[in-house]
Short mmCIF file of all heavy atoms in Angstrom, two decimals:
data_model
loop_
_atom_site.label_atom_id
_atom_site.label_comp_id
_atom_site.label_asym_id
_atom_site.label_seq_id
_atom_site.Cartn_x
_atom_site.Cartn_y
_atom_site.Cartn_z
N TYR A 52 7.85 0.09 -13.57
CA TYR A 52 8.58 -0.58 -12.50
C TYR A 52 7.62 -1.26 -11.54
O TYR A 52 7.83 -2.38 -11.10
CB TYR A 52 9.48 0.39 -11.74
CG TYR A 52 10.38 1.20 -12.63
CD1 TYR A 52 10.78 2.52 -12.34
CD2 TYR A 52 10.84 0.65 -13.88
CE1 TYR A 52 11.53 3.22 -13.22
CE2 TYR A 52 11.66 1.39 -14.73
CZ TYR A 52 12.00 2.66 -14.39
OH TYR A 52 12.76 3.39 -15.22
N LEU A 53 6.51 -0.57 -11.26
CA LEU A 53 5.56 -1.16 -10.32
C LEU A 53 4.81 -2.36 -10.94
O LEU A 53 4.29 -3.23 -10.19
CB LEU A 53 4.54 -0.12 -9.79
CG LEU A 53 5.21 0.99 -8.93
CD1 LEU A 53 4.14 2.03 -8.51
CD2 LEU A 53 5.90 0.45 -7.69
N SER A 54 4.74 -2.38 -12.25
CA SER A 54 4.13 -3.57 -12.92
C SER A 54 5.14 -4.75 -13.00
O SER A 54 4.71 -5.90 -12.85
CB SER A 54 3.69 -3.23 -14.35
OG SER A 54 2.73 -2.20 -14.30
N GLN A 55 6.38 -4.42 -13.20
CA GLN A 55 7.39 -5.46 -13.40
C GLN A 55 7.73 -6.27 -12.11
O GLN A 55 8.16 -7.38 -12.17
CB GLN A 55 8.73 -4.83 -13.89
CG GLN A 55 8.69 -4.34 -15.32
CD GLN A 55 9.98 -3.63 -15.69
OE1 GLN A 55 10.89 -3.46 -14.82
NE2 GLN A 55 10.12 -3.22 -16.91
N ARG A 56 7.51 -5.64 -10.94
CA ARG A 56 8.15 -6.18 -9.74
C ARG A 56 7.55 -7.50 -9.27
O ARG A 56 8.21 -8.27 -8.63
CB ARG A 56 8.00 -5.14 -8.60
CG ARG A 56 6.58 -4.92 -8.15
CD ARG A 56 6.47 -3.70 -7.26
NE ARG A 56 5.06 -3.45 -7.02
CZ ARG A 56 4.52 -3.29 -5.82
NH1 ARG A 56 5.25 -3.24 -4.73
NH2 ARG A 56 3.22 -3.06 -5.70
N TYR A 57 6.29 -7.79 -9.64
CA TYR A 57 5.59 -8.96 -9.06
C TYR A 57 6.30 -10.27 -9.37
O TYR A 57 6.37 -11.14 -8.53
CB TYR A 57 4.12 -9.02 -9.53
CG TYR A 57 3.39 -7.82 -8.98
CD1 TYR A 57 3.30 -6.66 -9.71
CD2 TYR A 57 2.85 -7.81 -7.69
CE1 TYR A 57 2.65 -5.50 -9.22
CE2 TYR A 57 2.24 -6.70 -7.19
CZ TYR A 57 2.15 -5.54 -7.92
OH TYR A 57 1.55 -4.42 -7.43
N VAL A 58 6.80 -10.44 -10.59
CA VAL A 58 7.39 -11.72 -10.95
C VAL A 58 8.93 -11.71 -10.83
O VAL A 58 9.56 -12.65 -11.22
CB VAL A 58 6.98 -12.18 -12.37
CG1 VAL A 58 5.46 -12.37 -12.44
CG2 VAL A 58 7.44 -11.19 -13.45
N MET A 59 9.50 -10.61 -10.29
CA MET A 59 10.94 -10.54 -10.13
C MET A 59 11.35 -11.51 -9.02
O MET A 59 10.97 -11.36 -7.89
CB MET A 59 11.34 -9.12 -9.77
CG MET A 59 12.83 -8.91 -9.52
SD MET A 59 13.92 -9.38 -10.87
CE MET A 59 13.53 -8.07 -12.05
N PRO A 60 12.16 -12.58 -9.37
CA PRO A 60 12.41 -13.61 -8.37
C PRO A 60 13.46 -13.24 -7.30
O PRO A 60 13.58 -13.93 -6.29
CB PRO A 60 12.90 -14.78 -9.21
CG PRO A 60 13.36 -14.22 -10.50
CD PRO A 60 12.68 -12.91 -10.69
N TYR A 61 14.24 -12.18 -7.53
CA TYR A 61 15.33 -11.81 -6.56
C TYR A 61 14.85 -10.67 -5.72
O TYR A 61 14.52 -9.56 -6.25
CB TYR A 61 16.61 -11.54 -7.31
CG TYR A 61 16.92 -12.67 -8.32
CD1 TYR A 61 16.83 -12.46 -9.66
CD2 TYR A 61 17.22 -13.94 -7.80
CE1 TYR A 61 17.01 -13.49 -10.52
CE2 TYR A 61 17.44 -15.00 -8.67
CZ TYR A 61 17.34 -14.77 -10.06
OH TYR A 61 17.54 -15.83 -10.91
N LYS A 62 14.85 -10.91 -4.40
CA LYS A 62 14.18 -9.96 -3.49
C LYS A 62 14.77 -8.57 -3.47
O LYS A 62 14.06 -7.56 -3.39
CB LYS A 62 14.04 -10.53 -2.07
CG LYS A 62 15.34 -10.93 -1.43
CD LYS A 62 15.09 -11.64 -0.09
CE LYS A 62 16.36 -11.93 0.67
NZ LYS A 62 17.40 -12.64 -0.14
N GLU A 63 16.08 -8.45 -3.62
CA GLU A 63 16.72 -7.13 -3.62
C GLU A 63 16.18 -6.33 -4.83
O GLU A 63 15.94 -5.13 -4.70
CB GLU A 63 18.25 -7.19 -3.75
CG GLU A 63 19.00 -7.96 -2.70
CD GLU A 63 19.23 -9.41 -3.10
OE1 GLU A 63 18.39 -9.96 -3.81
OE2 GLU A 63 20.27 -9.94 -2.73
N VAL A 64 16.05 -7.01 -5.97
CA VAL A 64 15.64 -6.32 -7.20
C VAL A 64 14.10 -6.02 -7.15
O VAL A 64 13.73 -4.92 -7.62
CB VAL A 64 16.05 -7.12 -8.44
CG1 VAL A 64 15.80 -6.30 -9.69
CG2 VAL A 64 17.48 -7.57 -8.35
N ALA A 65 13.34 -6.90 -6.55
CA ALA A 65 11.90 -6.61 -6.41
C ALA A 65 11.74 -5.36 -5.49
O ALA A 65 10.88 -4.53 -5.71
CB ALA A 65 11.20 -7.82 -5.81
N GLY A 66 12.60 -5.30 -4.44
CA GLY A 66 12.58 -4.13 -3.56
C GLY A 66 12.98 -2.84 -4.31
O GLY A 66 12.37 -1.79 -4.13
N LEU A 67 14.03 -2.97 -5.15
CA LEU A 67 14.49 -1.83 -5.93
C LEU A 67 13.40 -1.32 -6.87
O LEU A 67 13.15 -0.09 -6.95
CB LEU A 67 15.72 -2.23 -6.75
CG LEU A 67 16.42 -1.16 -7.49
CD1 LEU A 67 17.05 -0.13 -6.54
CD2 LEU A 67 17.50 -1.74 -8.43
N LEU A 68 12.68 -2.24 -7.56
CA LEU A 68 11.60 -1.83 -8.49
C LEU A 68 10.49 -1.10 -7.69
O LEU A 68 9.95 -0.13 -8.17
CB LEU A 68 11.04 -3.07 -9.19
CG LEU A 68 11.95 -3.68 -10.25
CD1 LEU A 68 11.44 -5.06 -10.68
CD2 LEU A 68 12.07 -2.78 -11.49
N THR A 69 10.21 -1.62 -6.49
CA THR A 69 9.15 -0.99 -5.68
C THR A 69 9.60 0.45 -5.27
O THR A 69 8.80 1.36 -5.37
CB THR A 69 8.92 -1.84 -4.40
OG1 THR A 69 8.58 -3.18 -4.81
CG2 THR A 69 7.84 -1.26 -3.52
N ASP A 70 10.84 0.56 -4.81
CA ASP A 70 11.28 1.86 -4.26
C ASP A 70 11.49 2.90 -5.39
O ASP A 70 11.15 4.07 -5.20
CB ASP A 70 12.54 1.69 -3.42
CG ASP A 70 12.26 0.86 -2.16
OD1 ASP A 70 11.07 0.91 -1.70
OD2 ASP A 70 13.12 0.18 -1.63
N ILE A 71 12.05 2.46 -6.55
CA ILE A 71 12.21 3.43 -7.63
C ILE A 71 10.81 3.74 -8.22
O ILE A 71 10.51 4.92 -8.47
CB ILE A 71 13.16 2.92 -8.72
CG1 ILE A 71 14.62 2.77 -8.09
CG2 ILE A 71 13.22 3.84 -9.89
CD1 ILE A 71 15.68 2.37 -9.08
N GLY A 72 9.97 2.75 -8.36
CA GLY A 72 8.58 3.03 -8.83
C GLY A 72 7.84 3.98 -7.95
O GLY A 72 7.08 4.86 -8.45
N THR A 73 8.09 3.90 -6.63
CA THR A 73 7.49 4.85 -5.70
C THR A 73 8.05 6.26 -5.83
O THR A 73 7.33 7.24 -5.87
CB THR A 73 7.67 4.33 -4.27
OG1 THR A 73 7.03 3.06 -4.18
CG2 THR A 73 7.04 5.26 -3.25
N GLU A 74 9.42 6.34 -6.01
CA GLU A 74 10.04 7.64 -6.16
C GLU A 74 9.53 8.31 -7.44
O GLU A 74 9.32 9.54 -7.47
CB GLU A 74 11.56 7.50 -6.20
CG GLU A 74 12.25 8.87 -6.23
CD GLU A 74 13.81 8.81 -6.20
OE1 GLU A 74 14.36 7.86 -5.64
OE2 GLU A 74 14.41 9.72 -6.77
N GLU A 75 9.28 7.50 -8.48
CA GLU A 75 8.76 8.10 -9.75
C GLU A 75 7.40 8.74 -9.54
O GLU A 75 7.09 9.74 -10.19
CB GLU A 75 8.69 7.04 -10.84
CG GLU A 75 9.98 6.27 -11.12
CD GLU A 75 11.10 7.04 -11.78
OE1 GLU A 75 11.00 8.28 -11.77
OE2 GLU A 75 12.09 6.42 -12.22
N LEU A 76 6.61 8.20 -8.64
CA LEU A 76 5.30 8.84 -8.38
C LEU A 76 5.52 10.25 -7.81
O LEU A 76 4.81 11.21 -8.13
CB LEU A 76 4.49 8.00 -7.36
CG LEU A 76 3.84 6.73 -7.84
CD1 LEU A 76 3.23 5.97 -6.68
CD2 LEU A 76 2.83 7.00 -8.90
#
Side-chain angles (χ1 to χ4, degrees):
Chain A
Y52 309 147
L53 293 179
S54 300
Q55 288 175 355
R56 67 191 173 131
Y57 296 92
V58 298
M59 177 58 70
Y61 309 110
K62 58 187 185 306
E63 301 95 325
V64 189
L67 185 67
L68 288 167
T69 302
D70 293 333
I71 296 183
T73 300
E74 186 178 330
E75 306 291 13
L76 286 174

